[in-house]
Amino acid sequence: MKSAELLPFIDTIPTMRHYGKVKRVIGLMIESQGPESSIGEVCYIHVHSASKRCEIKIKAEVVGFRDDIVVLMPFTHLQDISPGSIVEATGRPLEIKVGEALIGKTVNPLGLPIDDSPLPIGMRAVTTENDPPNPLTRPPINEIMEVGVRAIDGMLTVGKGQRIGIFAGSGVGKSTLLGMIARNTHADLNVIALVGERGREVREFIERDLGSEGAKRSIIVAATSDQPALMRIKGAFTATAIAEYFRDKGLNVMLMMDSVTRVAMAQREIGLAIGEPPATKGYTPSVFGILPKLLERAGTNEHGSITAFYTVLVDGDDMNEPIADAVRGILDGHIVLDRAIANRGQYPAINVLKSVSRLMNHLVDKNHLAAAEKLRQLMSTFDQAEDLINIGAYKKGSSQEIDEAIRYSPMIKSLLKQAFDEKIPMSTSAQQLIQLSEKGEWS
């Protein structure tokens, strides 16, 4: 590198280092007298490790202030921190290294491979927290993003750069659906954030749900449930930053996050620890501030696109709980997975009547849209009359609409059902949808 090219880097090197001392530790928080720092800045806490018998540096982030006391939260454990431990300010926010060499790897929220392999060389440093694209520079979404799942491509068509929420209770098939999308999608690259997952599920998702086909074109960011709240939050922001890097390279990126609810829970832990008042159902105000800041970063810009699927874990299948309600208002559509549909063996268990893609009307042709609307009407008619049909109170011939809905119902259920390892092209999904709508049959 020439000396002229080094000058900008030399200017960024700090000429003075700021230090402070740990005063006390309360719960998840570390209180320090100094150093001079700002919110979001990374600091190093110098401690003597009894287990390693050497001096180590624990990475922490500034999350608040109390008068002249700096409040920090560590990225790892609190062990070995004691009163008087030296706190060193770096003057920089959290940065990770990103590059094409990460494709196919699983990393932690700090961007380091979790299999302890060395980080590939030739990577570029990027910050994990960035501003969303300027609204006036976002190109309109007018291209379809094929995901290979018939119920989505046919009835809830998604565009390149669209952000969709997958809402479901536990054990209804969110991770399985994400795996299907990751394997079947026509996106150039998958970036998958597993936030707050059980440690057992990370490898299972990679090997069983994602498979070798999906894994070789994916970057996985894993923050398991045993890790500190700050690491779980950074898992979401790191995955988004990686997706942004490849979007700026001109790629169409598929970002999948499981789950936004656990990101919100982690932010609630931090908010309560630094003294924020609990608001709706115990969630602090900062939770509802962080959600749009995170979710708005996906989408299109002048270079490429990030098509995003965010899972939302709803307590007791209540779709109106605070996080679900807030996320639904930010995103460009939602897919609801229904436990009743899963219980009768229909997978993916998508409740089409409760789901919506806000951009489908602008993406598909008139025949496709008309067919989807007709099938929705038939499903709605059958849903309203289902109780009467099941108890035998409905007599055939009483309503032409209900008779037609009863005839179509098994075919519609069969159309929306798909095997886990089955990939269906978008053209086939649309053709089968139109065929069923017009002729009352499909193949």
Side-chain angles (χ1 to χ4, degrees):
M1 187 177 285
K2 298 179 181 178
S3 56
E5 296 174 338
L6 287 171
L7 289 175
F9 296 100
I10 294 173
D11 291 339
T12 63
I13 298 173
T15 56
M16 183 182 297
R17 293 188 177 183
H18 299 275
Y19 294 91
K21 285 187 177 182
V22 171
K23 300 292 288 184
R24 63 176 179 171
V25 175
I26 303 177
L28 305 173
M29 296 297 157
I30 303 164
E31 294 188 356
S32 169
Q33 186 73 49
E36 183 179 326
S37 54
S38 57
I39 293 289
E41 184 175 332
V42 172
C43 295
Y44 289 112
I45 303 171
H46 297 258
V47 301
H48 179 79
S49 173
S51 59
K52 297 182 180 179
R53 297 182 180 180
C54 64
E55 293 288 334
I56 63 171
K57 295 192 293 185
I58 295 175
K59 188 177 286 188
E61 183 176 294
V62 178
V63 295
F65 303 97
R66 291 195 182 102
D67 299 325
D68 58 344
I69 298 296
V70 179
V71 182
L72 305 109
M73 175 168 273
F75 286 97
T76 54
H77 54 77
L78 291 165
Q79 189 177 350
D80 299 320
I81 295 175
S82 60
S85 294
I86 300 298
V87 181
E88 177 190 352
T90 64
R92 303 184 65 83
L94 179 65
E95 292 183 334
I96 58 168
K97 295 290 185 69
V98 188
E100 292 185 7
L102 276 187
I103 298 174
K105 291 188 177 294
T106 302
V107 300
N108 67 14
L110 303 180
L112 303 174
I114 65 173
D115 60 2
D116 295 327
S117 62
L119 195 65
I121 60 173
M123 311 276 274
R124 177 185 165 191
V126 298
T127 57
T128 59
E129 299 199 29
N130 302 302
D131 294 328
N134 187 310
L136 297 181
T137 65
R138 287 182 185 259
I141 298 171
N142 49 28
E143 289 184 57
I144 293 173
M145 172 58 76
E146 185 174 337
V147 299
V149 179
R150 186 163 48 208
I152 298 176
D153 285 340
M155 303 293 290
L156 303 161
T157 310
V158 175
K160 290 181 180 178
Q162 188 170 349
R163 300 160 305 144
I164 295 283
I166 299 176
F167 295 74
S170 58
V172 187
K174 298 185 301 299
S175 297
T176 303
L177 180 58
L178 287 183
M180 290 177 68
I181 294 171
R183 289 197 319 275
N184 299 340
T185 180
H186 281 199
D188 299 317
L189 174 71
N190 298 317
V191 179
I192 304 169
L194 303 177
V195 181
E197 289 285 346
R198 305 173 187 89
R200 170 185 62 81
E201 292 181 334
V202 174
R203 183 171 178 178
E204 286 186 2
F205 176 82
I206 296 171
E207 295 181 356
R208 185 185 62 193
D209 295 335
L210 193 58
S212 58
E213 182 71 21
K216 67 183 180 183
R217 59 190 185 100
S218 301
I219 299 172
I220 299 170
V221 181
T224 52
S225 59
D226 61 297
Q227 293 182 307
L230 186 59
M231 282 288 271
R232 281 176 268 144
I233 292 174
K234 292 303 178 184
F237 281 86
T238 294
T240 305
I242 292 171
E244 288 172 330
Y245 170 84
F246 287 101
R247 175 180 64 185
D248 292 342
K249 292 281 187 181
L251 272 62
N252 293 311
V253 183
M254 177 69 74
L255 172 64
M256 288 175 276
M257 192 175 296
D258 187 13
S259 71
V260 173
T261 306
R262 294 191 182 107
V263 176
M265 289 177 174
Q267 181 60 36
R268 177 173 63 182
E269 283 183 45
I270 294 176
L272 293 174
I274 63 176
E276 274 192 88
T280 311
K281 282 197 174 181
Y283 288 102
T284 57
S286 63
V287 173
F288 300 99
I290 200 175
L291 288 176
K293 184 179 177 183
L294 174 65
L295 304 179
E296 284 289 348
R297 287 168 62 180
T300 58
N301 70 0
E302 60 271 27
H303 305 293
S305 69
I306 299 175
T307 306
F309 284 85
Y310 300 97
T311 69
V312 181
L313 184 64
V314 291
D315 294 331
D317 296 329
D318 177 14
M319 299 298 166
N320 294 316
E321 62 96 25
I323 299 303
D325 201 45
V327 171
R328 190 166 52 240
I330 298 169
L331 299 181
D332 307 316
H334 53 272
I335 296 171
V336 177
L337 301 187
D338 196 318
R339 193 177 300 277
I341 295 175
N343 288 343
R344 65 176 182 238
Q346 179 180 326
Y347 290 98
I350 297 174
N351 189 323
V352 173
L353 294 178
K354 293 183 179 179
S355 306
V356 65
S357 169
R358 294 179 179 174
L359 296 176
M360 181 176 176
N361 291 0
H362 308 290
L363 296 171
V364 300
D365 59 44
K366 293 181 179 179
N367 291 337
H368 185 163
L369 188 62
E373 288 177 350
K374 179 179 177 179
L375 295 190
R376 273 181 175 270
Q377 291 172 355
L378 291 168
M379 293 169 70
S380 177
T381 301
F382 184 85
D383 189 58
Q384 293 171 6
E386 188 171 13
D387 289 340
L388 292 176
I389 296 167
N390 289 339
I391 64 174
Y394 175 76
K395 292 183 179 180
K396 186 177 180 180
S398 301
S399 167
Q400 185 178 350
E401 291 181 354
I402 296 177
D403 287 344
E404 188 180 23
I406 292 172
R407 184 169 64 86
Y408 270 87
S409 180
M411 291 184 288
I412 293 174
K413 289 176 182 177
S414 180
L415 182 74
L416 299 180
K417 193 173 182 178
Q418 184 172 334
F420 169 71
D421 57 353
E422 185 182 6
K423 180 178 181 179
I424 302 172
M426 174 75 189
S427 57
T428 302
S429 297
Q431 180 184 354
Q432 291 174 339
L433 191 76
I434 294 170
Q435 186 180 358
L436 177 57
S437 169
E438 294 178 350
K439 300 181 181 180
E441 60 181 26
W442 67 282
S443 57

